[in-house]
Amino acid sequence: MSMLALDSVSVGYPARGGPRIAVDALDLALEAGQVGCLLGASGCGKTTVLRAVAGFEPLRAGSIEIDGVLVASPSLQLPPEQRRVGMMFQDYALFPHLSVEANVGFGLARLPRRQIQARVAEMLALVGLAERAGAFPHELSGGQQQRVALARALAPRPALLLLDEPFSNLDIHTRQLLASELRGVLKASETTALLVTHDQTEAFAMADRIAVMDQGRILQCGSGRELYARPADRFVAGFIGRGAVLDGALLGLTPGEDVLVRPEHLRLDPGGGLQVRLVERSFRGPGQAAVVELPGGQRLQADLPLEHEAAPGATLHFALLPDALPRYRR
Amino acid sequence: MFAADPVPERAWQVAATLVALAMLGPLLALAWTAAQGSTGLWSHMGTYVLPHAARTTLALLVGVGALVAVLGTGSAWLVSAYDFPGRRLLSWAMLLPLAVPTYIVAYAYLDLLHPLGPVQGSLRALLGLEDPRDLRLPDIRSLGGAIVLLGFVLYPYVYLSTRAMFLTQAASLLEAARVLGVRRAALFVRVALPLARPAIAVGVALALLETLNDIGASEFLGVQTLTVAVYTTWITRSDLPGAAQIALAMLVIVVALIALERHGRRRQRYASTQRPRPIQPRRLHGGTALAALLLGLVPVLVGFVVPAVFLLWESIARLQLAGTVSPRLLGIAWNTVWLAALATVVTVALGLVVAWALRLAQARRRPRAAALNLRVACLGYALPGTVLAIGLLTPMAAFDAGAGELLRLLGQEPRMLLMGSTSALVLAYTLRFLAISAGSAEAGLARIPPALDQAARSLGRSSTGMLGAVHLPLLRPALAAAALLVFVDTMKELPATLMLRPMNFETLATWLYADAARGAYEEGVFAALLIVLVGLLPVILLARAGVTWAGSERTAA
């Protein structure tokens, strides 16, 4: 059974000249223990979905069930404190006047003191901050604050954990480190989680299922591999990974059909059938990323080996591996 | 839906609406009372009292406005644009006159400059004159005297707002002007002054509201303002409709002043999008530095040091003469303190209710009604004490009549619950100073990110539960500052207290007023000194806030 089920959920904000629809008839389901992700550019409505699940936005249509319990519909808005939902906020929202310990214990106020202490200690051990229990939030590094926020959200054993851009306040190195660490903690505690991000590498690193959103709708939902290999439409194709969508006829394929060409579909081959002009190339660690141009002016992304030293304007030849190309009817 | 919440959100909204209605009550009652028509004396009022009092009031406002604008802007520019020994000290000493209420500065100078007082006495001795009639100084018991005295204690309002502007806004614009070829000496007129205009407008509006509120100084100095006219029309002639009509005329001026303030604030907000950076002051040396320091000391001396030292001196002299203070005075001081404490508790609590209701409504994205409640609740700061008191009389009488009826039905002796009771004073103080507590609670809440509310809610707290667990602890500094300001303002309050106090009930302010009205300078000096000392507390608070503020600017730059 689904731990989280959204059924054609719509959310709108009051605005001049009628409400602005932020989420439009959206369906989404997560199984117990799964980590789901809403991926999209800012303003696509992904955070609104999260806030509606948490209970901070009323629904205009549809329904939300958490662990089989109806928590929201146009006529029902269960208050957030009754939804068994934990939330990790973009800026962590740690209470500045409370110690780490008190922050983590905040959601446990109804338990006896002894149980609170035990649970707080357990959670701090889980995130590796047992020795900072007495510190205050402003004394911690960004990564430590994030872990306190995680411990605090998990402490009351929520049925569902919501994470709003969990890495946006961290520098790039801490991000990569903490993404795998966070996934480890979620999996170890068998938490069902829904994460919101605009960064696809984060989504790939964290999530079992990723839903790509645009303009309040989900365009495609699947694993990272599926989204990369088989984007459902042109938007997803352009949004996920590098590549270009263009008319197959230009590449000698079926006319009237668009194809997605990723760099790995192009192999540098002096005898290859695809003649292009190099526009620019940039160093990318193990290789070089290049932008090349077809005679008609359409641009493709390609990879070049590290030692390749062609100057912009040079003519290159590539072989196309046509079997793997996702195709879209026009 | 919100069954688990001990205090559902609707209860907060209802409470906030009631507070707003309580504020509107006196205003509506004022209009209603005025419409009843004066008891046959309107023609007299219309012909003699009102036009004269209105002319006098307008002249006073124009004079005080011009003086505070010059003194406030000048002193702010002096300590912002120039650096000289003593500048730091001066930059907070400029605030000291705020501790001296208008009626006390008048009280002090009246005695100081009395023909038989110390100043004229020494002058005569210096000039070798014997008869007081041989030395004619301009009489401070005049419109001109009132303008000067009020100007020198009210200029800090302009100083505060313009100095804040110079500290945060001006630097890059002034530098741009220099690069574009404006000479340093011309900067003030060509750039700083136009830039400071909104801030000056805000400060002048606040100073003039205070001028309109003043009853003591005008009365002592024999200036027949509208405020004085309201007081005498009600207290001496018992003509409530007449007093209400004059009060309505004052409200017109109040509305104009609020419009001025709002206008200024709108421009301020517009300007404050730039990155804050203080002006780099120019270092002065030698004689110029000394001149700057002396010039800056003038308003501090006139507005604070001279009257304060005089009061201290007189108090010591009296103590030496009498050996002790009378038990009556101690009783009055005690009255003042507990009344102010009670009013402070009520005012801070209600201010918090109104601000919290807005916070909850904002979380639901339906803030309009709650924001209106807050706006209305904050109107009291603009209402002169006399106007508020006149407006309160009718609703309170109606309430007492209803309560009396109820008591009779219950078989008890009917009595006045509000009229002529200390509850009436607490009510008046609360309405008058609610803007302070509601305003600082709102500002304090605005600094708490909404994510903290959502975190608390998602961790199982009801909306009221999170107020106690999260917001109150975080609001403590803001509420403490508000409580201090309300407490001190209540202790100093004169006009509403004079009009609404119970028979034979005195506060320090009314005691001092009675002293001065009799022309007898007796234990009133103690009262005056006490009020000034207590009044120093918020000034210290302001000065410290100013220092840390400027300090954080420096570390940020």
Side-chain angles (χ1 to χ4, degrees), chain B residues 91-286:
Chain B
S91 71
W92 68 260
M94 293 280 193
L95 296 172
L96 285 173
L98 271 184
V100 186
T102 50
Y103 56 86
I104 290 186
V105 78
Y107 174 88
Y109 274 100
L110 212 48
D111 203 25
L112 258 172
L113 299 180
H114 193 272
L116 300 175
V119 172
Q120 296 211 22
S122 340
L123 263 181
R124 278 196 306 274
L126 207 67
L127 299 172
L129 301 170
E130 276 176 19
D131 193 334
R133 272 168 299 188
D134 291 343
L135 180 74
R136 286 290 175 93
L137 291 180
D139 193 355
I140 66 157
R141 300 202 317 167
S142 63
L143 183 64
I147 288 174
V148 171
L149 288 187
L150 292 180
F152 270 94
V153 289
L154 295 179
Y155 80 85
Y157 286 105
V158 181
Y159 170 75
L160 266 175
S161 57
T162 37
R163 169 125 169 96
M165 209 280 315
F166 289 145
L167 273 179
T168 55
Q169 304 289 315
S172 49
L173 292 175
L174 289 177
E175 283 160 13
R178 289 304 299 282
V179 173
L180 291 170
V182 178
R183 281 176 307 109
R184 188 179 263 283
L187 274 182
F188 179 69
V189 174
R190 286 203 48 194
V191 186
L193 203 56
L195 202 60
R197 238 171 358 211
I200 297 173
V202 170
V204 167
L206 292 175
L208 293 188
L209 284 172
E210 204 60 40
T211 306
L212 203 56
N213 181 48
D214 167 76
I215 189 164
S218 325
E219 172 93 56
F220 303 162
L221 300 175
V223 181
Q224 289 299 313
T225 59
L226 287 169
T227 308
V228 175
V230 170
Y231 178 71
T232 50
T233 305
W234 166 236
I235 295 289
T236 320
R237 290 208 293 277
S238 300
D239 177 4
L240 186 55
Q245 281 160 353
I246 308 173
L248 273 184
M250 290 171 70
L251 268 188
V252 174
I253 303 178
V254 167
V255 170
L257 290 175
I258 296 181
L260 175 67
E261 192 210 354
R262 286 277 145 81
H263 180 71
R265 288 212 193 278
R266 214 188 54 230
R267 302 268 306 270
Q268 266 183 342
R269 204 172 308 142
Y270 174 72
S272 68
T273 48
Q274 291 170 4
R275 210 170 66 84
R277 193 156 56 86
I279 303 178
Q280 200 59 42
R282 178 187 179 187
R283 182 124 204 119
L284 300 178
H285 299 280

Side-chain angles (χ1 to χ4, degrees), chain A residues 51 57 81 85 93 97 109, chain B residues 4 365 452 454 457-458 461 469:
Chain A
R51 292 171 48 82
E57 300 288 349
E81 65 267 24
V85 163
H97 61 302
Chain B
R365 296 177 196 280
L452 287 191
Q454 293 159 16
R457 295 298 298 272
S458 72
R461 294 299 164 94

